[in-house]
Amino acid sequence: MFRTALRNVLAHKARLLMTVLAVTLGVAFVSGTLVFTDTLKKSLSGQSAKDYAGVAVSVTSYGQGRNDQGEKEGEPGLGQATLDKVKALPGVESVSGRVTGFAGVGDENGKLIGAGWSNQGSNFTPVKDGKNPRYAFITGAGPAKADEIALDKATAETGKYKVGDKVRVATNGPVKEYSLAGIFTTEDGGVQAGGSLVLFETKVAQELYLKPGYFQEMSVAAKAGTSDEKLLADIKPLVDGKHTTAQTGSALAEKQAKDIEKGLGQMGTMLLVFAGISLFVGIFLIYNTFTMLVAQRTKELALLRAIGANRGQVMRSVLAEALVVGAVSAVVGLLSGIGLAVGMRSVLESFGAKLPAGDLVIAPGTIVAALVIGVLVTTVAAVLPAWRTGKIAPVAAMGSAHLPASAKSLLVRNIIGSIISVIGVGLVLLGVSSGGNSGRMTIGAGAFFMLIGMIVLLPLLARPVIGAVRPLLQKVFGIPGKLASQNAVRNPRRTAVTAASLAIGLTLVTTLSVLGITVGKVVDRMSTEKLKADYKVSMAGGMGYLDRSVTETLAKTPGIKAVSPQTAGYFMVGDDFRSASGVNPAGIGQLLNIETVSGSLDSLGKGEILVAEKTAKKANLAVGSTVNVKYEDGQTETLKVGAVYKDMEGLLSPYVLDDKILGKHSEESAVSEVYVNVDGGASKAGQQKVVDALGKNPAINVATQQDMRNEMGGMINTMLNVMYGLLGMALLISVLGVVNTLAMSVFERTQEIGMLRAIGLDRGRVKNMIRLEAVSISLFGAALGVAIGVFLAWAVGSTLAKSMPNYELILPWDRIGIFLLLAAVVGVLAAMWPARSAARLNMLTAIKTE
């Protein structure tokens, strides 16, 4: 029986090729994801180990903490005295302190070099013989003077800098010019991720990023023969354990490796979800394929039964075919996955990511997963056709009497499908009423049940839905249209299985599209309705805060008529921390459209505060109420509520006050952005005026309103494009499913097609009939998918509405139209081969076919 199964596999190469391709795509995605994440994990972990090579103990300071009263306690970092005490310990070879912060380097055109979020500055501390093991200098040396810096090799090459050149470097303040003392290579993670690293003389770095005499980190090297654990035990009593963490270098490298694994795990999970979707869709294709192969071999299987094969043997022969196909698909999928992993690396590097070098990691678990998934998916999908094969009586099979679906089985199926669908819809509505993250989780569970229920109910839905468009098809396309609609529902089970794969893909695509476009419109509406400023000034890459000098410089620049910072701060009200925004009372009304519910914006200039409407209701505050606050520096003050305004989440905190009041109680700058209006309104000249006023600082971004829209809209579109690409694989499998269904339909209707040809239906109309049948099935699945997708998008959007002001569901009819058009195109393309085969049938041979 196994030899028979193997012969049958080889005898139907074209049919099985589509099954192999469907399983291969899913397995390739799974194995490619596993290989890529394992390889990246090993490379990054190895990089971490190199970065901490020679570090026996590392001590990290969290800076000054705050007690229950909000008062600062402890030192701002690790003082030089602490480093000296550690250095005096027996067994210590050397000690080096480190401070880090943002530092951006501009190229010859003033454009920022690097990724923005990973552009860092640090201090160069010689450890031994004027060198530091973290940095290998290829030319020059580390900075020894206040006006010197060193650059990593990649940044120097991009900026075309060489030792002795003047380099403009920006932190969060004005641009300064330094002399390039050296160029180095490093295993620093930020540089490897596409960023840049600037090394300053230690005192300069401390002034820029912390406080003179203090460090954020301390690295300790041990003398030969001294254990890291012993050194760690000696160091711990010398540091403030409340605000610092001390651990061995090996433990720190291991922790970073785990953090890397956790971060990559999230990306891997997302990719595996889409691989699972593709495999799930592939099940329908495999099911149809084996149903078709069994139908073609009905007499052959009946003959086997007649000469002594029992039901179990016949079933096992079909499952053996599935086993062979699954094994082949798994091997091909694994090899394709390895290639996919290499391709994924190339794609990331094309976007500027500098991934550490390393060999591909093909773990035994990956090989096992590929084989198990490929074989299991194929075998499971073939179980039902195999079981049905065993049920066909030999005599009936020899007469080509296929076992029809009984009315009872369809009735039971419809009842079960209805129950599952009701459960799904109920869970979705429950999630809508619950709201928040828990509500979205409930909606996700409901969506799963809805899709399962839809799959079960599709045979019931196929007849009335496709039947409803039959008059239109007949009127437009004549006899081929009528025959196509009748053929599409001739076998509702098979039509349902084919449409299901398209419905699942379109459900996901529609849900993501509606949500993405709706959220994008909300952001855009916020930009246009709430933001009146011509420009928003912020740090490039959104990292770090602007220096307060930025606001002062712009306020003094001729041609700029309104400036306001948006300072992030906080104070305590009772025992609770409250976030607050510091703004310029004189200009904020011209820059942001703040709608007051009661009171006046002018009250800001009198030292009073604005309170957001939701916060005011919760705290029972109104105009004239007083709030007792305690600032960061421990000082207290009673503030009067001057106005209550409509919430502006994302733009303003619940409490708003004069930036001068907030600033004098905060030691550190926390200006996240500065809003600017220029004379004559927004223009290229106006934007350049702001850029010039800030010294053409490469680390500072001056964004127009359109730039602000594009910033969020671009992120959403990028996300959608990635999702479309991932889901495209599922839709490709759906195309193969339509091809299989039509091929099976043509096979079953060979005699009928011959008769139609004999009574005058020419080849062109035969092709049209097959094409229209494919389009009908494709549009049936697509329409259901779009309908369910819109419903799920509404449900998820309802849980977001409370946290997003002005949320309003938007249906992108243009994209929905494109989805349906693509579904029709899928049908036309899928019908090419079956339609050509049907049209080429010899009439006399077809009529004689039993």
Side-chain angles (χ1 to χ4, degrees):
M1 293 301 292
F2 181 77
R3 286 198 301 271
T4 302
L6 185 60
R7 178 183 60 79
N8 286 323
V9 169
L10 298 175
H12 300 91
K13 301 181 185 65
R15 300 280 192 275
L16 292 171
L17 179 62
M18 290 182 283
T19 300
V20 170
L21 181 56
V23 181
T24 296
L25 287 172
V27 173
F29 216 150
V30 172
S31 55
T33 298
L34 294 176
V35 170
F36 176 71
T37 52
D38 287 345
T39 300
L40 199 55
K41 181 169 50 179
K42 182 180 178 181
S43 299
L44 293 174
S45 298
Q47 180 182 293
S48 297
K50 288 180 183 178
D51 202 22
Y52 288 97
V55 178
V57 177
S58 176
V59 182
T60 303
S61 170
Y62 301 117
Q64 290 177 300
R66 295 185 183 277
N67 57 27
D68 295 337
Q69 287 73 42
E71 298 168 340
K72 287 187 177 181
E73 58 180 12
E75 294 188 297
L78 299 165
Q80 186 62 49
T82 302
L83 269 69
D84 292 340
K85 290 178 184 178
V86 172
K87 191 172 183 180
L89 289 172
V92 173
E93 175 70 25
S94 62
V95 178
S96 62
R98 192 174 189 228
V99 288
T100 58
F102 176 84
V105 179
D107 60 17
E108 57 187 359
N109 298 316
K111 187 178 179 181
L112 182 69
I113 298 174
W117 58 271
S118 57
N119 291 336
Q120 285 194 323
S122 186
N123 62 300
F124 176 75
T125 303
V127 176
K128 187 177 181 181
D129 301 328
K131 298 179 180 179
N132 188 312
R134 281 179 177 267
Y135 317 109
F137 281 84
I138 57 176
T139 179
K145 300 178 182 178
D147 64 344
E148 291 182 341
I149 60 164
L151 289 177
D152 68 274
K153 180 184 177 183
T155 302
E157 288 178 348
T158 303
K160 300 178 181 178
Y161 293 119
K162 58 183 183 295
V163 173
D165 287 349
K166 296 296 181 182
V167 182
R168 288 162 56 83
V169 180
T171 51
N172 62 347
V175 180
K176 293 184 180 179
E177 197 169 70
Y178 298 86
S179 178
L180 183 59
I183 298 171
F184 60 88
T185 59
T186 178
E187 296 294 332
D188 184 273
V191 174
Q192 296 298 326
S196 62
L197 180 60
V198 181
L199 296 180
F200 299 93
E201 189 270 333
T202 295
K203 290 182 180 179
V204 174
Q206 288 175 329
E207 289 176 357
L208 284 172
Y209 301 128
L210 192 59
K211 191 175 181 179
Y214 288 93
F215 298 92
Q216 294 161 329
E217 300 174 21
M218 173 173 58
S219 297
V220 182
K223 290 181 179 178
T226 303
S227 75
D228 295 353
E229 287 71 20
K230 174 65 170 60
L231 202 56
L232 177 63
D234 292 339
I235 290 173
K236 279 187 174 180
L238 302 180
V239 297
D240 178 8
K242 189 174 181 181
H243 300 119
T244 61
T245 298
Q247 52 192 324
T248 62
S250 57
L252 187 58
E254 185 178 346
K255 180 180 179 298
Q256 284 200 356
K258 288 182 179 178
D259 291 340
I260 289 167
E261 183 175 353
K262 183 178 179 181
L264 291 176
Q266 295 173 348
M267 178 182 69
T269 299
M270 183 191 74
L271 293 174
L272 289 174
V273 166
F274 285 97
I277 293 170
S278 296
L279 287 169
F280 184 60
V281 171
I283 286 175
F284 299 104
L285 169 59
I286 299 164
Y287 169 82
N288 261 359
T289 299
F290 278 93
T291 299
M292 178 171 61
L293 293 176
V294 167
Q296 290 177 334
R297 290 162 38 216
T298 301
K299 286 189 176 181
E300 175 189 328
L301 295 173
L303 183 60
L304 290 173
R305 290 287 308 279
I307 63 175
N310 58 35
R311 287 183 179 181
Q313 287 178 309
V314 172
M315 285 181 62
R316 286 194 292 273
S317 75
V318 176
L319 291 177
E321 291 182 46
L323 187 67
V324 172
V325 172
V328 172
S329 302
V331 172
V332 176
L334 176 61
L335 296 176
S336 302
I338 295 171
L340 181 63
V342 174
M344 290 169 72
R345 181 188 182 95
S346 300
V347 169
L348 286 178
E349 289 180 341
S350 69
F351 282 104
K354 300 175 183 176
L355 303 180
D359 297 329
L360 280 176
V361 177
I362 305 172
T366 300
I367 298 174
V368 172
L371 293 174
V372 169
I373 290 171
V375 172
L376 188 64
V377 167
T378 310
T379 306
V380 168
V383 165
L384 191 55
W387 177 74
R388 285 180 176 168
T389 300
K391 286 188 65 177
I392 301 177
V395 175
M398 286 183 180
S400 297
H402 299 277
L403 188 69
S406 67
K408 179 181 177 182
S409 67
L410 286 175
L411 177 63
V412 172
R413 174 175 180 150
N414 293 338
I415 292 173
I416 294 173
S418 299
I419 293 172
I420 295 173
S421 298
V422 169
I423 291 173
V425 173
L427 286 173
V428 170
L429 296 177
L430 177 62
V432 171
S433 62
S434 301
N437 289 329
S438 61
R440 286 189 282 276
M441 294 292 289
T442 305
I443 290 172
F448 174 77
F449 281 102
M450 280 187 66
L451 286 175
I452 298 298
M454 175 199 70
I455 292 168
V456 177
L457 285 175
L458 275 175
L460 175 66
L461 298 173
R463 289 186 184 277
V465 173
I466 297 180
V469 299
R470 184 181 301 165
L472 177 63
L473 290 174
Q474 184 174 354
K475 183 176 181 180
V476 176
F477 300 100
I479 295 299
K482 180 180 180 179
L483 292 173
S485 61
Q486 291 175 338
N487 292 330
V489 294
R490 175 178 291 186
N491 190 329
R493 288 177 182 270
R494 191 165 64 229
T495 297
V497 171
T498 307
S501 57
L502 276 167
I504 292 169
L506 265 297
T507 295
L508 296 171
V509 168
T510 303
T511 303
L512 292 172
S513 296
V514 173
L515 281 175
I517 290 171
T518 299
V519 171
K521 289 293 184 182
V522 170
V523 174
D524 186 65
R525 193 179 296 123
M526 185 183 296
S527 300
T528 55
E529 293 182 2
K530 300 296 183 183
L531 190 61
K532 297 193 292 184
D534 295 330
Y535 308 106
K536 182 182 78 171
V537 179
S538 59
M539 293 296 289
M543 298 300 293
Y545 293 113
L546 295 165
D547 190 84
R548 290 188 178 275
S549 62
V550 170
T551 308
E552 297 167 2
T553 300
L554 291 173
K556 297 174 183 177
T557 302
I560 293 180
K561 64 179 182 180
V563 177
S564 176
Q566 216 285 46
T567 304
Y570 72 90
F571 46 62
M572 293 188 70
V573 179
D575 296 329
D576 299 321
F577 287 93
R578 303 295 186 193
S579 62
S581 292
V583 300
N584 175 16
I588 193 64
Q590 303 174 54
L591 300 162
L592 294 181
N593 185 18
I594 304 175
E595 298 181 56
T596 56
V597 177
S598 57
S600 171
L601 289 181
D602 295 337
S603 60
L604 276 174
K606 302 173 185 177
E608 297 175 355
I609 61 171
L610 309 184
V611 184
E613 186 177 14
K614 291 180 183 177
T615 302
K617 288 180 179 178
K618 287 182 181 179
N620 197 27
L621 296 173
V623 174
S625 300
T626 57
V627 182
N628 297 318
V629 304
K630 188 174 186 179
Y631 295 106
E632 294 181 50
D633 58 2
Q635 294 188 35
T636 60
E637 187 175 2
T638 299
L639 297 173
K640 181 180 177 182
V641 177
V644 175
Y645 71 95
K646 290 187 178 180
D647 290 72
M648 297 177 65
E649 295 178 33
L651 289 176
L652 287 176
S653 297
Y655 293 90
V656 181
L657 67 162
D658 190 335
D659 183 54
K660 291 180 180 178
I661 298 175
L662 192 63
K664 72 180 181 181
H665 295 289
S666 176
E667 297 178 10
E668 301 175 357
S669 169
V671 180
S672 53
E673 55 246 347
V674 176
Y675 298 113
V676 183
N677 271 352
V678 298
D679 292 335
S683 65
K684 287 187 177 180
Q687 186 177 21
Q688 191 61 46
K689 183 181 295 183
V690 177
V691 172
D692 292 342
L694 297 173
K696 297 181 180 178
N697 192 324
I700 294 180
N701 182 47
V702 179
T704 64
Q705 285 200 6
Q706 188 59 48
D707 292 333
M708 289 178 254
R709 293 192 195 104
N710 294 341
E711 182 179 351
M712 182 57 72
M715 291 172 57
I716 293 172
N717 287 331
T718 299
M719 179 195 72
L720 286 176
N721 289 335
V722 170
M723 298 300 180
Y724 291 158
L726 294 173
L727 291 169
M729 188 168 65
L731 295 177
L732 174 60
I733 296 173
S734 299
V735 173
L736 300 177
V738 178
V739 173
N740 259 11
T741 296
L742 294 175
M744 187 171 182
S745 179
V746 170
F747 164 75
E748 290 179 351
R749 288 155 41 210
T750 299
Q751 188 179 60
E752 175 189 318
I753 292 172
M755 292 291 292
L756 291 171
R757 289 289 315 282
I759 62 175
L761 197 69
D762 59 27
R763 288 183 175 181
R765 286 193 285 182
V766 169
K767 288 182 179 180
N768 281 343
M769 177 181 69
I770 303 299
R771 291 192 195 105
L772 290 171
E773 182 180 346
V775 171
S776 298
I777 295 173
S778 299
L779 287 178
F780 169 56
L784 286 177
V786 168
I788 296 174
V790 169
F791 175 67
L792 293 177
W794 165 81
V796 175
S798 298
T799 66
L800 298 171
K802 293 180 181 179
S803 59
M804 299 186 72
N806 301 319
Y807 181 91
E808 182 182 347
L809 186 70
I810 295 173
L811 296 181
W813 294 110
D814 53 342
R815 295 204 184 192
I816 290 175
I818 291 173
F819 297 156
L820 294 175
L821 179 61
L822 287 176
V825 172
V826 163
V828 172
L829 294 177
M832 289 178 66
W833 173 48
R836 184 169 178 269
S837 299
R840 294 181 66 184
L841 286 174
N842 183 281
M843 282 185 285
L844 296 178
T845 303
I847 292 172
K848 289 189 294 181
T849 301
E850 297 182 7

